[in-house]
Amino acid sequence: MRTSIATVCLAGTLPEKLAAAAAAGFDAVEVFEPDLLGCALSPAAVRERAADLGLGVSLFQPFRDPDHVEAAEVARVRHRLHRKCEVARALGTDLVLVCSSVHDGAVRDDARLAAQLHDLGEVAAGHGVRLAYEALAWGSHVDDYRHSLRVARAAEHPAVGVCLDSFHVLSRGDDTAGLADVRPHELFFLQLADAPRMSMDVLPWSRHHRCFPGQGAFDLVGFVADVLAAGYTGPLSLEVFNDVFRQSDPHGTAVDAMRSLRQLADRVGARRAVQHPTGASATGTPDAVALPVLPVAPPPAAWAFAEVATSPAHADGVRTLLTQLGLRRSGTHRSGPVELWSAGAARVVVNARTPDVRARISSLGVDTAEPALLGARARQLLAPVVTRAVGPGEVDIPSLAAPDGTWVQFCRTGPDEAGSWLADFLPAPDGGGPAAPGAPTHVDHVALPQRFGEFDTAALFFQSVLDLVPSDVTVLAGPRGLVRSRALRSRDARIRLLLNVVPSATLLRGRAGGAGHLALGCRDVFATAAGFAARGGRVLGVPQNYYDDLEARFDLDPVLLRRLRDADVMYDRDADGEFLHFYTVAASREFFVEVVQRVGGYAGYGAANASVRLAAQAQGPSARRAATSA
């Protein structure tokens, strides 16, 4: 598999974009004409710079509005194409992207359009160039790929073929069934982009909201599998218009882009292996493109632990909160002020060697049978590796750094298992003791705060490295602005993760306040809440108005409603089950604990309650139910 990226995906000057693409491991770039026009280097010098970096130029783009009903305009198009073919050859490519026309003078007759494309094919062939005709989803006449295929085929010129762009196909809701009768030599180029589901005109959707494969909602695995089955043998190339990407560090964006392609190729390869285990396509011919295979590792089993970083001055506050929740100090680390607090499978590591931090989630332990294999897979996905100091008697745990700086550590958890991370902890001097009655039993989910520009990057990182399935983005109203949230979960739902972007006004030292928390699961939320309160814990107060609305929405049993209200426990339900949960008063602007009980098959996170929770947190711990019933 060859990889390519359009320079429009990246921020910076053209030389900076080339350097970023090369550093991320791309084979080639599509040169976007505005990037070339603003560059001091000549096309030939751009070709040399790219070659010095190990890059080829896969495509020059775009050549717009190739057809016209006016003869004078047709002549101008021919002249323009001559010049652009010269540029393409100087850049070192023989391929020019030609977009379907979007102007009022576009040709509306297919035969006449095909004749003009044939004529342009003659011009291009004279320069040793081919034309990849692309149907823009907003084209005046040609706006879907089937139409572009018919017109390009009718042009009857070897220099005229098509470019398939996943956005232009999938944004319209089209499928790729029309590729079944395509001749492979007609598919000149493939461009890939994902996008979130949005109800808006396709042009602004395309110009501002595309994203890399895996960051949106399109079925790119099926799309690419069908294109390859049709015989396409060119590079997989990314063309993503995105406002955030164009303002971000190009090296980081290019790494995200390559990570997305490797994940996509791996998933396409897995689908093809299931569909055609002999290595041949449905037509009996061998697959034309060999896709890279990532190391095969068993899926993560569960959260092994969540680590909370705190300063020595604030560590007692975290310890007190965990004690109130019913956890007990069960171990001390062999090489520093790090403690293990646990109640069953609910394990929290308190790292008290981080100065100037009150409390925040700093590391996530992932329980897996094969830490080394999962680590090797993550490295193939370009995850930054963290080098940890390993002391005597300690386990070497493969560790990565997520985009927000949170560590992700792959480890075995069984206490009697060779290489278990629990061996790093010696029994607590006081013996720890059993967990308190009603204490949480496991880690249900973890929520991590993200900066706005890192939100999609983090989602791609976690879904690829941990093989998680992402949900759609949810937007919630908070008292200081909108909160964007996205949930990711393992296929068996034993690992759940929330990524939250809070309003910029709440940012604290580069991290978002009020968005990072640990959710612990329990068997009886009322018993856990009562025990927490009895040990001096403070539950976040919930306004009376919330419970009045709860009764109206769900027509709850009055006894249950009274229990919820008296304990400040929140409630949600769906067709599969119920969700009961309460929140502790925050230990810092960056950390608090949620306790949850899932009943039946409820798989959500109580999103309907998030706005109330955010408002209650904004009022501070002293605010209680201000509203009273009449």
Side-chain angles (χ1 to χ4, degrees):
M1 185 188 79
R2 289 173 291 148
T3 58
S4 172
I5 184 170
T7 57
V8 73
C9 301
L10 306 172
T13 64
L14 183 53
E16 290 170 338
K17 297 178 183 210
L18 296 177
F26 280 93
D27 299 310
V29 294
E30 301 176 35
V31 174
F32 186 52
E33 186 176 53
D35 289 330
L36 179 64
L37 298 182
C39 180
L41 299 177
S42 68
V46 169
R47 174 183 183 173
E48 293 175 3
R49 177 71 60 88
D52 289 343
L53 293 167
L55 290 171
V57 175
S58 58
L59 178 80
F60 180 47
Q61 61 118 327
F63 186 82
R64 300 191 185 278
D65 297 328
D67 54 272
H68 209 286
V69 295
E70 299 290 339
E73 291 299 327
V74 172
R76 292 189 185 95
V77 169
R78 285 175 52 87
H79 173 76
R80 183 159 52 93
L81 183 60
H82 273 294
R83 296 293 174 260
K84 298 308 175 183
C85 287
E86 292 171 352
V87 172
R89 296 302 294 171
L91 286 170
T93 181
D94 70 343
L95 197 57
V96 171
L97 178 70
V98 177
C99 300
S100 63
S101 292
V102 298
H103 59 83
D104 292 338
V107 174
R108 308 284 175 161
D109 176 76
D110 281 4
R112 185 175 180 184
L113 174 58
Q116 290 193 19
L117 286 180
H118 178 93
D119 189 40
L120 295 181
E122 283 290 292
V123 172
H127 296 274
V129 169
R130 297 174 299 141
L131 305 179
Y133 185 54
E134 175 186 54
L136 298 182
W138 53 91
S140 298
H141 177 55
V142 177
D143 60 2
D144 76 79
Y145 80 95
R146 295 177 181 86
H147 198 170
S148 67
L149 274 167
R150 291 196 303 270
V151 173
R153 185 174 291 169
E156 294 185 325
H157 198 290
V160 178
V162 295
C163 171
L164 291 180
D165 184 310
S166 63
F167 181 87
H168 293 299
V169 175
L170 301 178
S171 65
R172 294 170 44 89
D174 292 343
D175 59 37
T176 50
L179 294 176
D181 63 345
V182 171
R183 305 151 195 161
H185 69 270
E186 296 174 322
L187 299 179
F188 282 7
F189 205 70
L190 174 65
Q191 291 178 321
L192 299 173
D194 208 338
R197 294 187 181 93
M198 304 183 79
S199 297
M200 65 187 306
D201 185 78
V202 70
L203 180 55
W205 188 15
S206 171
R207 287 286 181 259
H208 303 285
H209 300 287
R210 296 195 196 193
C211 51
F212 294 132
Q215 293 179 325
F218 289 165
D219 178 17
L220 287 181
V221 173
F223 177 82
V224 173
D226 288 345
V227 174
L228 296 181
Y232 177 72
T233 59
L236 302 189
S237 190
L238 296 169
E239 187 199 38
V240 174
F241 296 85
N242 184 288
D243 295 348
V244 174
F245 296 173
R246 294 299 299 272
Q247 302 174 54
S248 304
D249 169 46
H251 286 271
T253 304
V255 167
D256 282 354
M258 179 56 74
R259 179 179 295 137
S260 76
L261 275 185
R262 291 187 180 181
Q263 174 188 244
L264 176 63
D266 184 63
R267 292 180 176 178
V268 172
R271 174 176 292 196
R272 292 166 76 185
V274 170
Q275 294 175 336
H276 312 298
T278 62
S281 68
T283 62
T285 59
D287 292 331
V289 176
L291 298 175
V293 177
L294 295 174
V296 178
W303 292 122
F305 64 85
E307 179 182 287
V308 179
T310 182
S311 68
H314 296 102
D316 280 346
V318 176
R319 296 185 185 107
T320 298
L321 175 61
L322 296 177
T323 300
Q324 292 166 342
L325 285 165
L327 280 71
R328 293 291 182 262
R329 187 175 68 150
S330 55
T332 58
H333 202 273
R334 295 176 180 271
S335 60
V338 180
E339 300 169 349
L340 174 61
W341 289 72
S342 59
R347 303 183 192 88
V348 180
V349 174
V350 179
N351 186 337
R353 53 189 173 192
T354 309
D356 302 324
V357 172
R358 290 185 65 91
R360 64 175 174 83
I361 295 174
S362 56
S363 180
L364 299 174
V366 178
D367 186 9
T368 173
E370 297 288 349
L373 274 179
L374 203 55
R377 183 178 184 277
R379 288 192 296 274
Q380 288 294 311
L381 289 164
L382 307 180
V385 176
V386 174
T387 302
R388 299 173 59 254
V390 181
E394 296 177 10
V395 176
D396 188 8
I397 302 175
S399 303
L400 316 169
D404 66 352
T406 303
W407 285 17
V408 179
Q409 301 183 267
F410 301 130
C411 49
R412 296 188 181 93
T413 297
D416 301 323
E417 200 171 343
S420 171
W421 68 277
L422 294 172
D424 288 3
F425 291 86
L426 300 172
D430 56 8
T441 58
H442 62 282
V443 175
D444 183 88
H445 64 271
V446 180
L448 296 178
Q450 305 295 318
R451 295 177 67 87
F452 180 82
E454 297 168 350
F455 184 65
D456 289 334
T457 293
L460 176 62
F461 175 89
F462 282 107
Q463 70 159 293
S464 60
V465 167
L466 299 182
D467 192 28
L468 303 183
V469 179
S471 69
D472 291 338
V473 174
T474 301
V475 179
L476 308 167
R480 296 191 176 94
L482 298 178
V483 176
R484 298 173 69 211
S485 182
R486 189 168 201 179
L488 303 98
R489 51 174 280 181
S490 59
R491 299 176 197 282
D492 63 2
R494 296 186 64 188
I495 286 186
R496 296 182 176 98
L497 178 69
L498 288 175
L499 302 176
N500 297 322
V501 174
V502 298
S504 58
T506 66
L507 289 180
L508 175 67
R509 294 181 183 175
R511 294 178 65 91
H517 73 270
L518 172 64
L520 300 177
C522 70
R523 296 187 180 91
D524 184 337
V525 70
F526 294 111
T528 304
F532 177 62
R535 290 183 288 271
R538 293 186 297 169
V539 177
L540 181 70
V542 180
Q544 172 66 35
N545 293 334
Y546 167 78
Y547 294 101
D548 291 342
D549 178 69
L550 202 62
E551 192 280 334
R553 284 193 294 136
F554 293 117
D555 191 21
L556 294 179
D557 178 83
V559 174
L560 174 59
L561 184 64
R562 186 178 306 111
R563 294 186 74 190
L564 293 168
R565 181 174 56 244
D566 291 346
D568 286 306
V569 171
M570 307 182 86
Y571 177 90
D572 191 28
R573 79 175 178 222
D574 59 18
D576 299 312
E578 299 173 294
F579 188 67
L580 298 87
H581 58 134
F582 71 86
Y583 298 91
T584 70
V585 169
S588 73
R589 287 188 61 192
E590 299 178 84
F591 178 70
F592 59 93
V593 176
E594 177 185 10
V595 177
V596 312
Q597 178 187 356
R598 296 179 183 272
V599 180
Y602 184 96
Y605 302 85
N609 299 328
S611 296
V612 176
R613 186 262 297 175
L614 289 166
Q617 288 178 320
Q619 294 176 59
S622 62
R624 292 291 289 172
R625 295 186 294 273
T628 58
S629 58

